[in-house]
Amino acid sequence: MSAPIIEVAGLRKRYGTSEVVCGVDFTVEASECFGLLGPNGAGKTTTIRMITCFSPMTAGRLRVFGLPVEPVNYRAIKARLGLAPQEENLDPDLSVEMNLLVYASYFGIARAEARARVRELLAFAALTEKATARIGTLSGGMKRRLVLARALVNRPELLVLDEPTTGLDPQARHLVWERLRELKRSGVAMLLTTHYMEEAAQLCDRLVVMDHGRIVTEGAPAALIERHVGREVIEVATGDDPARRARVLELVRPHGGRVEALADAVVIHTNGAVDVRGMLAALAGEELVHRRATLEDVFLTLTGRELRE
Amino acid sequence: MSVATHPTARRATLGLFAGAFRVWRRDMESWRKYYRSSLVGALGEPILSLIAIGYGLGKFVDLGGVSYAEFLAPGILASAAMNAASFEATFGSFTRMTEQKTYDAILATPIGIRELVAGDVLWAASKSLLSSVAVLVVATCAGLVHSAWALVLPAVALLIGVVFGAMGLVVASRAQAYDFFTYYFTLVITVMYLFSGVFFPIESLPAWARAVAWGMPLTHAVTIVRACMAGRVGPVLLVHVGVLVVMIGLAYAMAVRWVGRRLIA
Ligand SMILES: Nc1ncnc2c1ncn2[C@@H]1O[C@H](COP(=O)(O)OP(=O)(O)OP(=O)(O)O)[C@@H](O)[C@H]1O
Ligand SMILES: [Mg+2]
């Protein structure tokens, strides 16, 4: 087994008096896609900035490709890294193609080789027709794909993607997923943040959920669902009617499971000793949805339903 | 098709100059899109000043021996270099540092802060070169250049551009908004323009003001350019060059430090 691509231990970041990353530990192995989930302000981008040499850590241990993340190693690390940042920073003064060519030059890639690579990457990102377009004329989805293509110009061993599909329509998102799976098959390790739980479930081998700068859980998506929610979820609609809600709660309580009362629904997670059949029988006649549990259930269970920031 | 990792992929890392050159070339590539309008501004202003002030006002000025246009031309050349680099390194670099996030994009590659700052400073200096050469051509055609030493003036213009490019980046690294540059241009650049011997010999200033003037880079720049145009070149010029080199060192170190603090936080 080869050495981990990223090793994070006791990682902390303080801005002034507020600590925004408060002791985070995880490792990303070779060829693995690792997810970093969490509500707005959880500290995902800050963690990524520390890993990608953009922000010195306040305390902890941080290695990328086995190299300590310190100024002496920045160059060596960044040469092998591809970064698609949360905020788009394409070069608006340059065309699509020049964006990639100029970026390649920063890695010391010779022009002839860069041209070949750029042609390949434009095809990969489905942007060949837009090669000479100005950045300002691209749609959001095209920009996102170009950012991804740009991150691949140096054939990175590790791809760091901060919300790669935010703001994309379903077609564009599926295209990006397909590309990321292709990259994964070819052995590129990935560190990914996303607010789309389905994306994390589809792409990530393992993930952590962060909240308030701390990791609240870690594991493979399926294992996390099993552990925190169980296989199935039952949602009973109660409308705005407290009496109806109370009655539903009465009905489900005896059958176990984790029961959560929302404003207009009762949600039952089926982990632990739950008599799902008995519960469904008791709820006969109620308006309900019986579905498979998802990562979104895990996320909401662990980080609550309160709005952040 | 494979865009994935290649075990034999070249992992060249660039040295300071090679890295700075890549950044310089990026600026050059983006400038090519709007160079026409940019050239009109960069070349028009100094040339018009030379004509209007040199010949218009010159009729009323007696410096004993040299014509006012001859006196003024070196000052215009040096200040054209100062202005071109100052604008590029403040407004231009600040835009790349903030709004456009160009610096962040570049810093995700093996290019570090040193190369980034050096590249942008060299780009600012390239604009100085362009403006100054235009002034030099006009001055030569007007018969205001009297020595083959004028051939080193493009190099001098680059030197001046590097001084003001580095200073501009120091200012840009501390700016929160574009308004900040109004202070810099009014309080620093304009003061230099008026009191560094561009329009009148600084010998006519009181002693204390002369001392202040020698603390300003443009005074040394004008002195060097004037000597080269007139052919009165002596070893003392090396002192002036030395002062500018020291100023470059200080401003560059400061710019690297502050741009670094701003972007790597
Ligand atoms: N430069 C900074 N100075 C001070 N505070 C900062 C700075 N950068 C981030 N923070 C704070 O750190 C916290 C974590 O921010 P971060 O961007 O890492 O969150 P995130 O998990 O990426 O959120 P999102 O999902 O919204 O992108 C936030 O409260 C933010 O305000
Ligand atoms: Mg973020």
Side-chain angles (χ1 to χ4, degrees):
Chain A
M1 175 129 190
S2 53
I5 301 285
I6 305 177
E7 294 171 74
V8 178
L11 184 66
R12 288 174 187 275
K13 181 73 192 187
R14 196 168 22 241
Y15 285 116
T17 53
S18 69
E19 194 170 51
V20 299
V21 174
C22 328
V24 161
D25 308 81
F26 63 85
T27 56
V28 178
E29 306 292 341
S31 321
E32 186 178 36
C33 179
F34 193 90
L36 215 50
L37 309 189
N40 291 138
K44 305 179 295 294
T45 298
T46 307
T47 302
I48 282 184
R49 283 176 59 85
M50 288 189 275
I51 292 170
T52 55
C53 314
F54 271 96
S55 178
M57 62 185 170
T58 306
R61 202 179 110 97
L62 185 51
R63 280 170 182 267
V64 177
F65 307 123
L67 300 167
V69 179
E70 292 165 4
V72 288
N73 291 324
Y74 281 179
R75 223 180 250 270
I77 290 171
K78 290 193 284 188
R80 299 163 66 183
L81 188 89
L83 174 65
Q86 182 170 3
E87 288 181 61
E88 177 261 309
N89 59 12
L90 295 165
D91 208 320
D93 299 332
L94 304 176
S95 68
V96 166
E97 190 177 38
M98 279 309 290
N99 257 277
L100 297 177
L101 283 171
V102 165
Y103 218 66
S105 80
Y106 300 146
F107 289 92
I109 299 166
R111 262 288 149 119
E113 195 188 341
R115 288 202 174 279
R117 241 184 246 192
V118 166
R119 210 170 314 120
E120 206 174 272
L121 285 169
L122 286 175
F124 181 77
L127 287 170
T128 306
E129 263 99 85
K130 290 281 173 185
T132 57
R134 294 289 294 264
I135 298 306
T137 66
L138 300 184
S139 74
M142 291 174 183
K143 283 186 194 161
R144 224 43 240 183
R145 265 141 54 204
L146 183 55
V147 167
L148 177 61
R150 192 184 63 177
L152 295 170
V153 108
N154 59 327
R155 299 188 198 275
E157 294 158 58
L158 168 65
L159 193 54
V160 178
L161 305 154
D162 199 349
E163 301 193 20
T165 62
T166 295
L168 299 194
D169 66 25
Q171 288 84 349
R173 186 173 312 141
H174 279 272
L175 177 67
V176 170
W177 289 357
E178 200 181 299
R179 294 306 189 239
L180 293 181
R181 278 195 210 101
E182 248 172 77
L183 288 166
K184 210 178 116 184
R185 277 196 296 274
S186 59
V188 180
M190 287 183 218
L191 178 64
L192 169 95
T193 81
T194 179
H195 290 298
Y196 297 108
M197 295 303 127
E198 198 203 335
E199 178 165 303
Q202 292 240 2
L203 296 174
C204 297
D205 301 304
R206 285 187 308 133
L207 57 86
V208 292
V209 177
M210 287 181 75
D211 198 9
H212 302 297
R214 289 188 171 78
I215 289 178
V216 290
T217 194
E218 166 167 6
L224 289 177
I225 295 169
E226 182 91 43
R227 187 183 332 152
H228 295 285
V229 184
R231 293 228 170 98
E232 299 148 85
V233 171
I234 300 166
E235 289 177 354
V236 190
T238 58
D240 232 355
D241 180 355
R244 191 168 160 203
R245 188 169 59 188
R247 191 184 51 191
V248 170
L249 287 173
E250 259 336 84
L251 291 172
V252 302
R253 282 247 154 83
H255 303 281
R258 214 176 61 85
V259 180
E260 194 180 359
L262 306 183
D264 60 354
V266 171
V267 178
I268 305 113
H269 292 169
T270 61
N271 50 338
V274 185
D275 174 11
V276 177
R277 263 161 202 279
M279 189 174 311
L280 287 171
L283 288 169
E286 296 293 337
E287 191 185 325
L288 63 77
V289 178
H290 179 202
R291 58 171 175 82
R292 282 175 52 166
T294 65
L295 207 49
E296 185 132 348
D297 299 308
V298 176
F299 190 85
L300 292 173
T301 302
L302 294 173
T303 61
R305 290 177 188 269
E306 292 294 310
L307 194 63
R308 299 307 165 87
E309 304 201 316
Chain B
M1 181 189 70
S2 163
V3 292
T5 313
H6 204 280
T8 58
R10 234 178 87 209
R11 298 284 181 215
T13 47
L14 305 165
L16 177 62
F17 284 99
F21 173 66
R22 299 309 199 284
V23 175
W24 178 88
R25 205 166 55 186
R26 179 256 155 231
D27 291 338
M28 175 79 180
E29 290 287 353
S30 73
W31 180 72
R32 288 200 336 195
K33 290 249 153 54
Y34 55 91
Y35 75 98
R36 270 172 232 272
S37 60
S38 159
L39 277 182
V40 172
L43 310 186
E45 209 255 21
I47 293 167
L48 288 175
S49 313
L50 182 58
I51 294 167
I53 307 175
Y55 294 97
L57 183 67
K59 289 210 181 83
F60 308 96
V61 180
D62 180 14
L63 286 164
V66 295
S67 76
Y68 189 60
E70 275 168 319
F71 178 82
L72 184 66
I76 294 291
L77 188 150
S79 56
M82 168 179 80
N83 283 328
S86 298
F87 269 103
E88 184 57 39
T90 53
F91 291 96
S93 293
F94 185 71
T95 303
R96 294 191 279 277
M97 197 182 309
T98 57
E99 272 176 32
Q100 294 190 358
K101 301 192 190 344
T102 313
Y103 280 16
D104 291 291
I106 294 174
L107 285 176
T109 73
I111 304 277
I113 302 272
R114 284 163 197 283
E115 295 89 88
L116 178 57
V117 169
D120 251 23
V121 167
L122 287 177
W123 171 244
S126 307
K127 291 200 136 176
S128 301
L129 178 66
L130 205 66
S131 287
S132 298
V133 166
V135 175
L136 184 59
V137 168
V138 171
T140 306
C141 294
L144 305 173
V145 176
H146 301 297
S147 164
W149 277 101
L151 290 172
V152 306
L153 285 177
V156 174
L158 269 180
L159 180 73
I160 301 170
V162 171
V163 177
F164 287 98
M167 285 172 53
L169 257 166
V170 169
V171 175
S173 71
R174 305 297 276 186
Q176 292 307 318
Y178 289 98
D179 323 6
F180 191 65
F181 301 133
T182 313
Y183 296 105
Y184 179 61
F185 278 92
T186 312
L187 300 177
V188 180
I189 298 298
T190 306
V191 167
M192 286 199 216
Y193 185 53
L194 296 176
F195 299 100
S196 290
V198 173
F199 296 102
F200 57 87
I202 61 164
E203 285 69 37
S204 52
L205 290 169
W208 67 266
R210 233 178 297 149
V212 173
W214 283 119
M216 306 193 296
L218 188 62
T219 312
H220 298 276
V222 171
T223 307
I224 298 166
V225 176
R226 192 162 281 146
C228 290
M229 275 199 188
R232 280 180 281 100
V233 172
V236 69
L237 288 190
L238 290 176
V239 176
H240 296 295
V241 170
V243 170
L244 294 183
V245 168
V246 169
M247 286 177 171
I248 289 170
L250 292 175
Y252 174 69
M254 224 187 264
V256 165
R257 194 184 174 93
W258 284 344
V259 171
R261 270 198 211 159
R262 181 169 190 142
L263 298 177
I264 311 288

